Amino acid sequence: MKTIVFIGALKSGSSREAIGIAQDLGYFTVLITDNQKQIKQRVEYQDVHLMLFCDLSDINKLKTMIQELKLKAFEIKGIMSFVDSHVHTACLLGNIFKVNNFTTNGVYNIENKLLSRECLKNTDYVPQYKIISPSLEYSKAEVVSFLPAIIKSPCSTGSKDVYKVTNYQEFTDHLRQFQKKYPKQSVLLEKYLPGKQYLIEVFVIKGQVHIIAIVEQEIEYLSKHFIVTGYSILINPEASFYYKLTKTVKNIIYLHGLYHGNCHLEMRYFEDNFKLIEINPRISGGGMNQLIYAAFGINLVKEIIKLSLKQDVDLKPKFNKEAFIQYTTLKHEGILEKVTGKRRALRKNGVLKVYLKPRKGNLVYLPKSLGHRYAYVLATGKTQNEARMNAKQAIKELAFKIRKKK
């Protein structure tokens, strides 16, 4: 059986869509997971033909497990991951089983946030930064010169462990928290930059960089965390803006050494220049694939799978439509009793999809990471502003009834 092995997956979003698409393409799907909850909820993963449990940090165990699949006549055509921290592992396994089509070293440089900053250290593409290792001494004056700043863990994903600090006391408080939580890990301190932030989805095919989508992000500062609550596709960006962005993105990709593969960048537009905030060797999660499909008719997850399988990809837009995704967070935490208003939201102008993440009985939390966004509305419109307003009006129909946890 022609088989694709997925290393890790979330319950929803791009990583889950990838498994369903692989099934639709005619492949037997294997999910190797370290999530016990997914094993217990096996019945809910109908698009996963075979689910296996393994420590995803142990590449030797993963290698043995995949070798056993081969011995059972599974024809491994691809090994891939759409989840943070597992993309490089999938590439390494792909190298071992001779099915990798992505630049392993480039993926590693992108996946490792400290190494990524070092790849760009002699450029103007990143904010002023400092890596603080457990053994490195620093002066108060040196830290104060960065303020206001962002302090974050290099292992941070989805805005977890990312904090804004405006004075030296806040810095030392967060640093102690990091050192307690990650005693052997370095911490990244970088200058905070105001300005608009953009997400850029990119394909790299034999060294040629293809910008698939430019998405303006709406960011709110909630519960002392930066949470992206809105995404707006840019259909026709200004020529000078696009030229400068394209030039910067191409240079960043080149310096990371990604010759073949895909990634997304998050960049701040500051003082007429683009500064890299983050780069990840995968498509952005959540509803990003749905947003791009609504705007351009491109199923980006499908094309990533095809690229990984060494097949020809189709990145040409089928149309251009204004599209916007609005997420919602909660003002109270506890146990979810019910959500109302989904049908009313679906009936609003331009609405294509209403997605609810939690179920009755689930614990829900105040927004401290992107994982604490509990619903989204995807909408289109005749203009960018109309698409935005359609999504924002529709999401107001959703009401979450929450009971306090005892």
Side-chain angles (χ1 to χ4, degrees):
M1 290 179 285
K2 293 182 179 180
T3 301
I4 295 178
V5 177
F6 291 92
I7 309 299
L10 301 180
K11 194 169 185 178
S12 62
S14 303
S15 65
R16 183 61 188 279
E17 289 180 56
I19 297 174
I21 290 168
Q23 180 190 44
D24 292 341
L25 290 171
Y27 290 90
F28 188 88
T29 60
V30 176
L31 171 61
I32 304 180
T33 179
D34 59 358
N35 188 336
Q36 287 280 9
K37 189 175 181 181
Q38 289 180 329
I39 300 294
K40 293 177 182 177
Q41 297 177 342
R42 176 68 181 89
V43 68
E44 299 181 22
Y45 292 79
Q46 295 298 317
D47 47 2
V48 177
H49 300 133
L50 178 62
M51 186 182 292
L52 302 170
F53 183 81
C54 185
D55 178 359
L56 300 186
S57 67
D58 192 330
I59 196 165
N60 289 322
K61 287 183 179 179
L62 288 167
K63 177 183 173 182
T64 299
M65 190 169 280
I66 295 172
Q67 186 62 48
E68 289 174 352
L69 290 173
K70 290 194 68 177
L71 292 174
K72 293 177 181 178
F74 289 92
E75 186 181 357
I76 308 299
K77 290 294 186 180
I79 302 171
M80 58 190 75
S81 182
F82 288 74
V83 179
D84 280 312
S85 76
H86 301 322
V87 181
H88 180 245
T89 298
C91 285
L92 290 175
L93 291 166
N95 290 341
I96 292 169
F97 293 97
K98 297 181 172 53
V99 293
N100 181 37
N101 194 32
F102 292 170
T103 315
T104 304
N105 189 58
V107 166
Y108 181 70
N109 290 339
I110 290 173
E111 193 173 273
N112 185 310
K113 287 181 172 59
L114 296 181
L115 193 54
S116 172
R117 284 294 184 263
E118 290 297 283
C119 287
L120 305 175
K121 66 180 180 180
N122 295 319
T123 74
D124 295 326
Y125 301 138
V126 289
Q128 180 186 2
Y129 73 93
K130 181 177 181 62
I131 296 172
I132 302 175
S133 67
S135 60
L136 183 67
E137 294 185 1
Y138 58 88
S139 68
K140 180 177 180 179
E142 190 176 16
V143 171
V144 170
S145 71
F146 276 81
L147 301 178
I150 300 296
I151 185 171
K152 59 186 175 183
S153 162
C155 296
S156 165
T157 59
S159 295
K160 294 190 296 288
D161 296 323
V162 178
Y163 300 94
K164 184 179 180 181
V165 293
T166 58
N167 58 60
Y168 187 72
Q169 185 61 52
E170 288 179 346
F171 164 77
T172 56
D173 289 346
H174 286 301
L175 183 60
R176 278 196 293 268
Q177 291 174 13
F178 282 133
Q179 290 173 337
K180 185 177 180 180
K181 189 174 182 180
Y182 310 108
K184 297 181 180 180
Q185 189 185 96
S186 296
V187 171
L188 186 62
L189 181 72
E190 61 186 29
K191 187 77 174 176
Y192 171 76
L193 302 178
K196 289 186 177 181
Q197 186 160 303
Y198 299 90
L199 184 149
I200 304 98
E201 289 288 351
V202 174
F203 263 46
V204 188
I205 303 174
K206 296 181 180 179
Q208 296 295 313
V209 175
H210 302 264
I211 292 181
I212 311 302
I214 303 169
V215 185
E216 184 175 337
Q217 297 177 312
E218 291 187 359
I219 302 174
E220 296 184 56
Y221 192 59
L222 305 169
S223 303
K224 296 184 178 181
H225 290 77
F226 293 98
I227 306 296
V228 184
T229 55
Y231 297 84
S232 181
I233 288 278
L234 299 189
I235 298 296
N236 293 304
E238 292 183 5
S240 59
F241 173 95
Y242 185 77
Y243 173 79
K244 183 173 289 187
L245 176 66
T246 301
K247 183 179 178 180
T248 303
V249 168
K250 286 182 177 179
N251 288 338
I252 289 172
I253 298 296
Y254 172 78
L255 290 168
H256 280 85
L258 186 65
Y259 180 76
H260 207 74
N262 75 288
C263 64
H264 76 267
L265 305 86
E266 294 182 47
M267 306 188 75
R268 274 281 165 102
Y269 194 52
F270 176 73
E271 294 183 349
D272 204 31
N273 286 297
F274 289 96
K275 302 283 188 179
L276 182 71
I277 301 301
E278 190 165 306
I279 182 170
N280 292 290
R282 56 170 178 81
I283 182 177
S284 181
M288 185 55 61
N289 194 52
Q290 299 288 326
L291 178 65
I292 293 172
Y293 187 77
F296 302 124
I298 300 171
N299 188 325
L300 198 56
V301 168
K302 181 178 181 180
E303 300 308 319
I304 292 168
I305 292 174
K306 288 162 62 179
L307 185 68
S308 178
L309 296 172
K310 303 180 182 178
Q311 299 177 3
D312 293 336
V313 299
D314 181 6
L315 304 177
K316 185 178 180 180
K318 312 302 181 293
F319 46 76
N320 291 306
K321 291 183 180 179
E322 300 288 356
F324 188 91
I325 279 187
Q326 178 67 44
Y327 282 84
T328 191
T329 58
L330 303 178
K331 295 181 180 179
H332 305 282
E333 57 184 22
I335 299 170
L336 181 67
E337 291 193 341
K338 66 177 179 179
V339 183
T340 60
K342 182 176 180 180
R343 290 182 180 177
R344 290 193 300 274
L346 281 167
R347 289 196 293 265
K348 290 291 185 178
N349 290 339
V351 172
L352 299 180
K353 182 174 182 177
V354 177
Y355 171 73
L356 301 175
K357 181 180 178 181
R359 296 182 179 182
K360 180 180 178 180
N362 285 170
L363 285 171
V364 292
Y365 302 92
L366 295 175
K368 296 181 180 179
S369 76
L370 300 190
H372 296 150
R373 302 178 300 183
Y374 291 110
Y376 73 71
V377 169
L378 169 62
T380 59
K382 294 179 181 178
T383 65
Q384 184 184 58
N385 189 57
E386 184 178 287
R388 177 185 286 106
M389 289 301 103
N390 285 344
K392 290 181 180 293
Q393 288 299 317
I395 209 161
K396 289 179 182 178
E397 298 293 339
L398 301 179
F400 291 75
K401 185 177 181 181
I402 301 166
R403 172 167 47 90
K404 287 186 178 181
K405 184 181 177 183
K406 294 182 180 178

